[in-house]
Each structure stands twice: as structure tokens, then as C-alpha cells.
């Protein structure tokens, strides 16, 4: 009897995932920035539709786009647009990458609460990060050396910052490289001369945000595109989404899905 | 039967070890297709995701060595001092209280040390020294040093207490003071154990990851002073591996760093073994 129960359990463990796989599966891979959105929405979507199984993996934007081109996933996540080179090679293989914008993401330049600097230009931020400006007095602040705080070079947040602000110039080697948005905000809160950047969702009252080119970062200015350090987050499908993938992406774009997007620290699509 | 099980267990461990070494080399060596070994080891420019990328890990190696050296400078006197006190000077009662407390330090998870460094030590150092940032080689050394103290202390204490009693008695009988006995008789007799404990402490400090990610600052530069941020090898591997594309040059470079780290700890272990072996002969 005991053996029988064990055998049955083993059988169930193996058989259930195999049977469940059939037909009702969506596979997703790609950007780690989009990952929390995909995970959180997939969880709710699977609760609402227990017959559907979604598997979500990270890997990075390049991995997401490569996976769509190879046909190994239904949805490829990317925190950037597809590159012309990637698009051309996809077309060659008869794949038609289709961009679904699922969220907005804005990056806020953050400084210490006691710092009286209120706004900076994009150019000044670049000069600070490349080392041309090294004291706050050069941008109208107190006489205090600037402590430059950046994110790890493989993070999605660094990628946007690098593209929009640094324009691919090298960040000074003395910059502190921290592992998370939270670490950046916590460190700035305790470091008087610090400047750093983080996703809008991580901003709190312990630090100050600065205006960039006279625009204050907010949900509204990021959605309408007037705040410069912002981007859209994407889920790529082969052709316009169909079937299950369409149901899932429609769910993300619904009011309920966009609420989850905001809970994850991103900004909803207008 | 029992022999069979234990034999399999030890065989399995060895297989896992060789598996790890094989992976390390098969994933790490391909970086040499993108950069020659001299530039990899001696260039301080680490810009792995830049275009074109720079894969020089000298600043990361220096970062690791600086925080480890700093940690040992703090941990050796503290660890050895408490070992001498517990083994040679303290009475049974205070020994029973102090020893477990020091060993308790070893049980604190490293992420807790990291939080302590970020939330308390770093702002404190900014105030005391007037330095621009508290996330630097100095604060990482302090925290790592505290973490290494229990290793040095408990292992050295073991070594000191195995020194035969009659050696001490002979020394006292010749009119040596307690201090002279400890420094000139007991410590030399326990030398190999003490050196071994320091080597182990070195291995612990250079391999520690969470603490240096959180408090060393992460700047890939050769520091001009101990108050500047550094990016030790372990911090670079752990914080960059998660989001790099598998099979890219950056991915292989991180494994390349792991090989260097492996060699450093391997050589330290060899030296430790050698010291112990010499003692047995």
C-alpha cells in the first residue's frame, strides 16, 4: 500500500506538469527590467485563468529579442527598442517582430535633502558623471565635492541612463557602483555630496529629486514625454499578438494590469 | 556497507569540485579571445558593457587585496589578543562567557554586517572623518575585519591550548614572567595553528561577497587612499553576472575573474596545508 502511494505521488509529480504543458502555455524571456512586470502580471493572469500556464525567464533585452527571432518563446521582453541590425536579420528569417509597449519607466536624478540645487541640465548631469564637474559650487550649489553614484553596468537602469544622459561616454571610474535602486536612495540619504539616479517608483521623502531641463519628473511628465530621462518597456511578439499571447498582453494593458505595473514601481501606459 | 557509503560521499564531493573547476575554465578561458592575458590582468580599465568594451581587472584585484589587507590589519591583533586572553590569562568563568560571545560573531549572516555598514558605519565615518562618502575600502575593511576576528580567535585559541602544560611550567620555573612565557614560548610553539588561522581569515575576507557589494562602494578604480571606493572581484562577479548575456565576452570575463580568485585562494590553501604538514613532521 505504502509503495503504491509513493508510486502514485511520483507519477503525479511527473505527469501533471507534462499534461498541463499541452497547448495552454505562454513562454516569456528577456529584459530583467521588464521581468517584475511579467512575473506579477503572469501570476494574477494565471490565477484568473487556471488552465493557462505562463513561464517567465530573465536573461536581458538581447536575449529576449534573440529568443523571438529563434522562435523559442512567445513573448520577448526588452527594455529598449529593437536595433535596425536585429530587425533586418529577423526579416531575413521570416520573423516579424511586433512591439507592444506595456509600461513607461522614468529615471529620476536624486540628491541629498540638504543640497540646495533644484535643477540641472542634461548636459550638466553628463559633465558630472564624466568628471568635468566635480564640485557642487560649479552648478550653483554648496562648496562640496560631488560623490557620483551609478548603478552596476549590466543593470537595465544603467543602460537607459547610459543611452540618454551619457550618450555612451564613459562614467568616471571613481563613481560608486551600487547594486540596486534602493541602495542608491539609501546611500544618497546619508551622503551630503551625493548625486545618483533611480526609477521614479523608488523616490521617497528622504532625498530630493532635481528638475532636468526645467522639467520635474512625475507620472504626467514621463507619460507625455516632456521629461527627458524616460523610456518605454516592451514585449515583442512575432507579428501582432494572437491567441493566448494576445489575451495576456491585453490583460497587462487593461486597467487591472496597469495597476500591477504601477505597483512594481513603473508608470502606466497612457 | 558503511565503507561504501562514506566512500561514495567523498567521491561525490571530489566530482563536484572537479566539475566546478572544469566549468570555471571552460567558461573563463574564452575571454582570452577578446583580450590578451597581459591586458586582462594589468589594465585597470573595467568597462565591460561599454562599446568598445575594456576588460582590465587590475583595479578589481587591487580592490580585493586592499580590503582584505585592511581586514587582516584589524582582525589579527583583535583575534590573536582575545585568543591569548582566553587561553592564557582568563579564569574559567570569564573564559566561559567570552569564548561563546566571540564565536557568536561568526554566526551573524554577512548581509546583516552589510546592513550595519550601510546604515550605521558609513554615515558615522562621514561625520567623523569629513570624507565625501562612507562607502569605501576603509569601512569595508572594518566590517570584514570584525567578521574575521572569530575565525582567527577560535582557531588560534585551539592552537594555544594544545601547547603542553609542562612547557609553560618549565618557562615559569626558569623565572620567566607570564608575558615572556606567552610571547617567547607558547606563541612560537603554536605558530603553525596561528598562521593557519590567519590564512583561513584571509580566505574568508577575500571571498566575502555580500559585505563588499554593500559597503565597498563598487568603483572600479585603483584607490589613491583607503577612503576611496573600490570594487573587489567578488562584488564585480556577483553584481554583474545576473544581467549579462550568457556567452558574451562580459560573461566570459566574469568567469575569468573567478579563475583569478580561485588561484589566489588555492595558493593560500596550499600554503596553509604546507604549514600544517610541516608541523606534523
Amino acid at each position: 500500500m505504502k509503495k503504491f502511494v509513493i508510486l502514485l505521488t511520483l507519477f503525479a509529480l511527473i505527469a501533471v506538469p507534462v499534461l498541463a504543458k499541452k497547448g495552454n502555455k505562454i513562454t516569456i524571456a528577456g529584459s530583467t527590467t521588464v521581468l517584475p512586470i511579467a512575473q506579477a502580471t503572469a501570476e494574477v493572469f494565471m490565477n484568473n485563468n487556471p488552465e493557462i500556464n505562463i513561464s517567465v525567464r530573465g536573461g536581458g533585452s538581447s536575449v529576449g529579442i534573440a529568443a523571438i527571432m529563434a522562435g523559442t518563446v512567445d513573448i520577448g521582453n526588452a527594455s529598449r527598442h529593437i536595433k535596425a541590425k536585429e530587425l533586418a536579420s529577423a526579416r531575413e528569417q521570416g520573423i516579424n517582430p511586433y512591439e507592444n509597449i506595456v509600461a513607461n519607466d522614468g529615471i529620476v536624478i536624486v540628491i541629498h535633502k540638504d543640497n540646495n540645487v533644484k535643477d540641472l541640465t542634461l548636459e550638466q548631469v553628463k559633465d558630472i558623471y564624466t568628471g568635468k564637474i566635480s564640485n557642487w559650487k560649479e552648478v550653483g550649489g554648496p562648496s562640496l565635492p560631488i560623490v557620483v553614484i551609478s548603478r552596476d553596468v549590466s543593470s537595465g537602469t544603467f543602460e537607459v541612463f547610459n543611452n540618454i544622459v551619457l550618450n555612451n561616454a564613459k562614467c568616471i571610474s571613481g563613481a560608486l557602483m551600487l547594486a540596486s535602486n534602493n541602495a542608491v536612495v539609501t546611500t544618497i540619504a546619508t551622503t551630503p555630496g551625493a548625486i545618483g539616479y533611480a526609477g521614479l517608483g523608488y523616490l521617497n521623502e528622504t532625498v530630493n529629486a532635481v528638475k532636468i531641463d526645467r522639467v520635474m519628473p512625475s507620472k504626467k511628465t514621463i507619460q507625455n514625454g516632456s521629461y527627458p530621462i524616460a523610456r518605454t518597456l516592451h514585449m515583442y511578439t512575432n507579428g501582432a499578438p494572437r491567441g493566448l499571447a494576445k489575451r495576456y498582453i491585453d490583460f497587462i494593458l487593461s486597467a487591472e494590469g496597469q495597476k500591477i505595473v504601477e505597483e512594481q514601481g513603473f508608470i502606466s501606459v497612457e | 556497507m558503511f565503507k561504501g557509503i562514506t566512500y561514495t560521499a567523498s567521491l561525490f564531493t571530489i566530482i563536484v569540485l572537479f566539475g566546478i573547476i572544469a566549468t570555471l575554465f571552460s567558461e573563463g578561458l574564452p575571454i582570452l579571445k577578446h583580450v590578451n592575458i597581459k591586458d586582462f590582468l594589468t589594465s585597470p580599465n573595467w568597462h565591460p558593457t561599454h562599446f568598445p568594451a575594456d576588460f582590465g581587472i587590475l583595479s578589481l584585484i587591487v580592490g580585493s587585496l586592499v580590503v582584505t589587507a585592511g581586514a587582516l590589519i584589524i582582525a589579527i591583533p583583535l583575534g590573536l589578543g582575545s585568543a591569548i586572553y582566553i587561553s592564557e590569562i582568563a579564569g574559567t568563568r570569564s573564559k566561559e562567557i567570552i569564548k561563546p560571545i566571540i564565536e557568536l560573531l561568526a554566526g551573524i549572516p554577512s548581509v546583516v554586517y552589510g546592513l550595519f555598514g550601510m546604515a550605521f558605519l558609513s554615515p558615522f565615518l562621514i561625520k567623523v572623518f569629513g570624507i565625501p562618502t562612507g562607502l569605501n575600502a576603509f569601512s569595508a575593511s572594518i566590517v570584514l575585519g570584525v567578521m574575521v576576528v572569530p575565525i582567527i580567535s577560535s582557531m588560534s585559541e585551539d592552537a594555544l591550548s594544545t601547547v603542553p602544560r609542562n612547557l609553560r611550567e618549565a618557562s615559569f620555573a626558569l623565572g620567566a614572567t607570564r608575558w615572556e612565557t606567552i610571547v617567547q614560548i607558547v606563541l612560537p610553539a603554536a605558530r603553525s595553528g596561528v598562521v593557519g588561522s590567519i590564512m583561513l581569515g584571509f580566505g574568508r575576507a577575500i571571498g566575502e561577497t555580500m559585505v563588499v557589494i554593500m559597503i565597498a562602494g563598487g568603483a572600479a578604480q585603483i584607490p589613491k587612499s583607503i577612503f576611496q571606493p573600490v570594487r573587489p572581484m567578488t562584488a564585480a562577479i556577483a553584481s554583474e553576472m545576473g544581467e549579462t548575456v550568457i556567452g558574451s565576452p562580459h560573461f566570459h570575463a566574469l568567469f575569468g575573474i573567478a579563475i583569478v580568485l580561485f588561484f589566489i585562494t588555492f595558493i593560500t590553501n596550499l600554503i596553509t596545508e604546507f604549514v600544517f604538514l610541516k608541523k606534523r613532521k
Side-chain angles (χ1 to χ4, degrees):
Chain A
M1 183 58 198
K2 204 174 165 190
K3 255 189 188 163
F4 178 72
V5 172
I6 294 175
L7 271 179
L8 199 70
T9 321
L10 278 178
F11 177 75
L13 282 176
I14 298 163
V16 169
V18 173
L19 294 177
K21 235 181 190 172
K22 282 224 168 100
N24 291 327
K25 197 169 159 75
I26 308 174
T27 52
I28 305 173
S31 164
T32 47
T33 314
V34 190
L35 192 63
I37 296 177
Q39 278 170 336
T41 51
E43 216 166 273
V44 178
F45 188 72
M46 283 191 286
N47 274 345
N48 297 347
N49 307 277
E51 77 284 2
I52 298 173
N53 190 353
I54 304 181
S55 103
V56 185
R57 276 188 300 123
S61 297
S62 306
V63 173
I65 287 168
I68 274 294
M69 281 157 61
T72 53
V73 295
D74 302 308
I75 296 172
N77 296 337
S79 57
R80 58 170 168 83
H81 294 285
I82 190 166
K83 291 174 186 161
K85 211 171 97 188
E86 289 168 331
L87 193 60
S89 105
R91 291 264 156 78
E92 242 166 58
Q93 297 166 41
I95 304 266
N96 180 27
Y98 182 91
E99 184 181 279
N100 304 277
I101 296 176
V102 294
N104 285 304
D105 186 15
I107 289 173
V108 183
I109 304 295
V110 187
I111 59 174
H112 190 262
K113 207 125 192 85
D114 298 340
N115 194 327
N116 62 6
V117 173
K118 292 279 178 269
D119 54 326
L120 293 168
T121 65
L122 213 51
E123 198 56 37
Q124 283 172 326
V125 178
K126 181 182 176 184
D127 287 348
I128 289 173
Y129 273 83
T130 50
K132 267 189 227 158
I133 297 176
S134 59
N135 196 304
W136 281 109
K137 67 178 183 225
E138 294 169 64
V139 290
S143 174
L144 195 67
I146 301 179
V147 177
V148 177
I149 298 181
S150 182
R151 287 288 313 280
D152 286 317
V153 289
S154 47
S155 73
T157 318
F158 174 82
E159 205 178 287
V160 196
F161 187 80
N162 184 38
N163 283 338
I164 301 175
V165 181
L166 293 180
N167 230 328
N168 218 28
K170 278 177 192 165
C171 185
I172 52 165
S173 64
L176 300 177
M177 300 281 213
L178 302 185
S180 70
N181 281 299
N182 274 325
V184 169
V185 173
T186 319
T187 308
I188 292 171
T190 57
T191 312
I195 185 171
Y197 55 89
L200 182 70
Y202 294 90
L203 190 65
N204 60 32
E205 69 288 347
T206 62
V207 292
N208 279 354
V210 291
K211 289 182 190 169
I212 299 298
D213 294 342
R214 297 181 186 285
V215 182
M216 196 64 187
S218 72
K219 187 176 159 186
K220 196 168 157 234
T221 55
I222 289 168
Q223 277 176 338
N224 69 23
S226 57
Y227 182 72
I229 318 174
R231 63 173 166 177
T232 46
L233 300 178
H234 320 104
M235 289 192 172
Y236 280 91
T237 48
N238 180 11
R242 285 182 307 270
L244 284 182
K246 180 170 166 41
R247 271 177 68 190
Y248 172 61
I249 290 177
D250 284 348
F251 170 72
I252 300 177
L253 296 175
S254 72
E256 192 188 354
Q258 289 297 304
K259 203 174 143 243
I260 302 172
V261 165
E262 300 233 321
E263 280 165 9
Q264 295 300 318
F266 299 97
I267 294 145
S268 55
V269 181
E270 232 173 322
Chain B
M1 175 65 180
F2 186 65
K3 190 183 163 194
I5 293 173
T6 48
Y7 177 70
T8 320
S10 61
L11 200 68
F12 185 72
T13 319
I14 293 172
I15 290 173
V16 169
L17 173 70
F18 277 99
I20 291 173
I21 295 175
T23 323
L24 215 54
F25 279 87
S26 70
E27 296 291 359
L29 290 181
I31 185 58
L32 297 179
K33 276 186 272 179
H34 305 279
V35 54
N36 68 46
I37 190 154
K38 187 171 158 279
D39 287 346
F40 185 63
L41 293 175
T42 60
S43 155
N45 299 318
W46 177 250
H47 296 286
T49 58
H50 199 261
F51 184 80
D54 293 319
F55 295 111
I57 65 165
L58 184 66
S59 52
L60 311 182
I61 299 176
V62 172
S64 277
L65 294 180
V66 166
V67 293
T68 307
L72 289 181
I73 289 174
I74 293 163
I76 292 174
L78 286 180
L80 212 52
S82 59
I84 292 173
Y85 180 74
I86 293 170
S87 159
E88 306 296 316
I89 299 164
T92 335
R93 251 235 18 241
S94 46
K95 188 172 170 174
E96 268 167 10
I97 297 168
I98 295 171
K99 205 180 163 189
I101 290 178
I102 290 178
E103 277 163 11
L104 203 65
L105 275 180
I108 299 175
S110 53
V111 66
V112 175
Y113 279 105
L115 279 176
F116 165 79
M118 266 181 96
F120 174 74
L121 187 64
S122 145
F124 178 74
L125 290 178
I126 292 178
K127 284 205 191 84
V128 173
F129 292 100
I131 45 178
T133 171
L135 300 180
N136 53 37
F138 181 67
S139 42
S141 295
I142 292 180
V143 176
L144 281 178
V146 173
M147 290 176 76
V148 171
V149 164
I151 295 175
I152 294 184
S153 162
S154 63
M155 273 194 67
S156 300
E157 196 257 326
D158 283 347
L160 291 175
S161 48
T162 53
V163 173
R165 205 177 157 68
N166 53 19
L167 273 183
R168 296 188 183 85
E169 280 163 358
S171 167
F172 288 137
L174 287 169
T177 63
R178 185 183 247 179
W179 171 249
E180 286 164 348
T181 309
I182 291 170
V183 173
Q184 292 175 19
I185 307 294
V186 183
L187 265 185
R191 191 181 55 223
S192 61
V194 171
V195 173
S197 78
I198 292 170
M199 288 299 190
L200 262 186
F202 173 86
R204 176 84 173 95
I206 204 165
E208 173 54 38
T209 308
M210 204 62 214
V211 162
V212 290
I213 286 184
M214 294 173 83
I215 10 190
Q221 63 174 349
I222 293 176
K224 290 181 197 69
S225 89
I226 51 168
F227 293 116
Q228 285 194 338
V230 292
R231 188 175 191 79
M233 292 184 276
T234 48
I237 297 173
S239 50
E240 291 169 31
M241 189 56 94
E243 305 190 46
T244 180
V245 178
I246 293 169
S248 64
H250 185 194
F251 177 82
H252 293 308
L254 294 178
F255 270 94
I257 301 174
I259 295 178
V260 174
L261 192 58
F262 172 76
F263 269 112
I264 295 177
T265 45
F266 182 69
I267 290 167
T268 347
N269 277 345
L270 267 188
I271 296 173
T272 319
E273 283 293 312
F274 185 70
V275 171
F276 276 119
L277 224 61
K278 222 168 124 188
K279 180 196 171 192
R280 268 178 231 136
K281 277 177 189 167

